[in-house]
């Protein structure tokens, strides 16, 4: 898909969207002002936000896929997945009291992440190739925080907004890629001691490794790839659950322990 925005417009939109993240203020979706902007324009805005953070000294510590499950695609009313990057300051420890004020309106979702040990590049990467290029699979929880008012966006706006990335927590367990069939991995999410979501790995594009393959495909659009050693969050197995100050979330993973976080 072709670009419609000038480099100057891309820079201005990147500054606008990133300022909303840094200042924790809601903005209206950017396609309200740029209705003709394309997914390629949105991708350019996201990469410009990434450059701004790197120029400021932030490290990029991973990548994420978003909207990879039918539950999420229906929940958000968009048509296909998106991706984003994880900056160093998005990371919170398992068991942490997460400052609610770091966010605008955080939501929590249960995921698994893959740590790669070979480059993954191009449009034809298969699930088996992803598994062969995986060092470890780890449980992870994402704290998403769309900058858009009331989480109202379209796919173009959310891609420009780094796919709502703002927080993630990695569990202390890990497994080798052949440890189980990741499509039948069971996950239970509790909020304040009550079960609020259930899921299995197959919710993510039928197999979480398919999400990593799709990321390689989407990165090929901008002549990029997944380098060896990349931490990749594969997308929500469960729908995202709104958090409020004082809430405690525990996500239990079949044979992979659990992750707990509380919002201070
Ligand atoms: O990680 C995700 O699936 C989120 C992608 C962006 C959409 C949202 O904010 O729910
Ligand atoms: Mg996610």
């Amino acid at each position: 898909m072709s670009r419609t925005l000038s480099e100057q417009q891309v820079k201005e939109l990147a500054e606008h969207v990133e300022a909303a993240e840094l200042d924790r203020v809601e903005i209206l979706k950017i396609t309200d002002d740029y209705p003709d902007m394309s997914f390629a324009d949105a991708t350019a805005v996201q990469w410009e936000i990434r450059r701004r953070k790197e120029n400021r000294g932030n490290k990029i510590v991973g990548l994420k896929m978003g909207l990879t499950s039918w539950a999420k695609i229906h929940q958000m009313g968009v048509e296909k997945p998106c991706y984003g990057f994880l900056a160093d300051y998005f990371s919170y420890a398992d068991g942490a009291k997460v400052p609610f004020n770091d966010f605008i309106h955080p939501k929590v979702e249960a995921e698994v992440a893959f740590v790669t040990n070979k480059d993954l590049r191009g449009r034809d990467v298969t699930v088996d190739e992803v598994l062969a290029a995986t060092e470890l699979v780890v449980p992870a929880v994402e704290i998403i925080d769309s900058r858009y008012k009331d989480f109202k966006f379209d796919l173009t706006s959310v891609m420009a907004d780094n796919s709502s990335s703002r927080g993630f927590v990695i569990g202390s367990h890990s497994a080798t890629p052949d440890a189980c069939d990741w499509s039948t991995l069971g996950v239970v999410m509790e909020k304040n001691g009550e079960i609020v979501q259930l899921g299995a790995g197959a919710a993510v594009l039928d197999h979480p490794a398919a999400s990593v393959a799709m990321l390689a495909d989407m990165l090929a659009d901008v002549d990029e790839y997944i380098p060896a050693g990349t931490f990749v969050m594969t997308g929500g197995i469960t729908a995202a659950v709104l958090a409020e100050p004082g809430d405690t979330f525990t996500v239990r993973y079949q044979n992979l322990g659990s992750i707990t976080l509380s919002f201070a």
Side-chain angles (χ1 to χ4, degrees):
M1 190 181 287
S2 58
R3 297 265 302 270
T4 69
L5 299 180
S6 67
E7 284 309 319
Q8 184 56 28
Q9 287 171 316
V10 167
K11 283 190 163 52
E12 284 168 10
L13 282 172
E15 187 177 353
H16 174 61
V17 176
E18 199 207 12
E21 179 232 305
L22 296 173
D23 299 342
R24 297 176 299 280
V25 292
E26 291 179 326
I27 55 175
L28 295 177
K29 67 180 192 305
I30 57 177
T31 47
D32 288 355
D33 286 331
Y34 295 89
D36 297 329
M37 71 181 277
S38 64
F39 192 77
D41 290 322
T43 304
V45 172
Q46 182 191 127
W47 279 86
E48 179 61 24
I49 293 174
R50 176 174 168 154
R51 268 189 293 278
R52 289 171 64 84
K53 291 195 188 304
E54 288 180 307
N55 288 342
R56 227 180 273 127
N58 294 132
K59 298 274 175 274
I60 304 307
V61 296
L63 298 173
K64 65 164 271 187
M65 284 293 280
L67 301 170
T68 45
S69 72
W70 290 117
K72 290 244 29 190
I73 285 174
H74 290 146
Q75 183 181 23
M76 305 319 300
V78 297
E79 56 273 26
K80 67 167 190 177
C82 50
Y83 69 83
F85 63 84
L86 304 171
D88 45 9
Y89 67 95
F90 295 1
S91 171
Y92 297 90
D94 184 11
K97 278 231 178 293
V98 174
F100 193 85
N101 288 342
D102 284 0
F103 302 88
I104 303 166
H105 43 200
K107 290 184 181 179
V108 174
E109 53 188 32
E111 309 204 2
V112 287
F114 284 50
V115 181
T116 62
N117 58 17
K118 294 188 189 72
D119 294 351
L120 286 167
R121 186 189 299 267
R123 304 205 172 276
D124 303 317
V125 177
T126 64
V127 164
D128 285 344
E129 284 167 348
V130 171
L131 293 171
T134 297
E135 184 73 19
L136 290 172
V137 181
V138 292
V141 165
E142 184 172 20
I143 311 168
I144 53 170
D145 197 33
S146 173
R147 268 52 70 169
Y148 298 120
K149 190 167 163 34
D150 302 328
F151 271 79
K152 290 211 171 78
F153 49 66
D154 45 34
L155 187 66
T156 309
S157 296
V158 81
M159 183 66 183
D161 183 28
N162 192 21
S163 296
S164 306
S165 298
R166 180 55 185 84
F168 66 97
V169 181
I170 304 175
S172 54
H173 286 57
S174 63
T176 54
D178 59 355
C180 70
D181 173 1
W182 297 104
S183 63
T184 59
L185 176 83
V187 171
V188 176
M189 183 195 287
E190 291 171 8
K191 179 180 170 182
N192 303 328
E194 286 187 13
I195 295 174
V196 287
Q197 291 287 324
L198 303 170
V204 180
L205 297 175
D206 297 343
H207 193 297
S211 175
V212 182
M214 182 176 275
L215 177 60
D217 178 66
M218 294 180 85
L219 288 172
D221 290 344
V222 287
D223 296 325
E224 293 282 349
Y225 65 101
I226 306 172
T230 302
F231 172 78
V232 183
M233 306 235 340
T234 55
I237 292 172
T238 61
V241 177
L242 193 65
E244 284 170 18
D247 281 344
T248 296
F249 287 82
T250 298
V251 181
R252 288 185 276 125
Y253 294 82
Q254 187 180 5
N255 300 326
L256 274 180
S258 63
I259 295 175
T260 297
L261 65 146
S262 302
F263 286 90

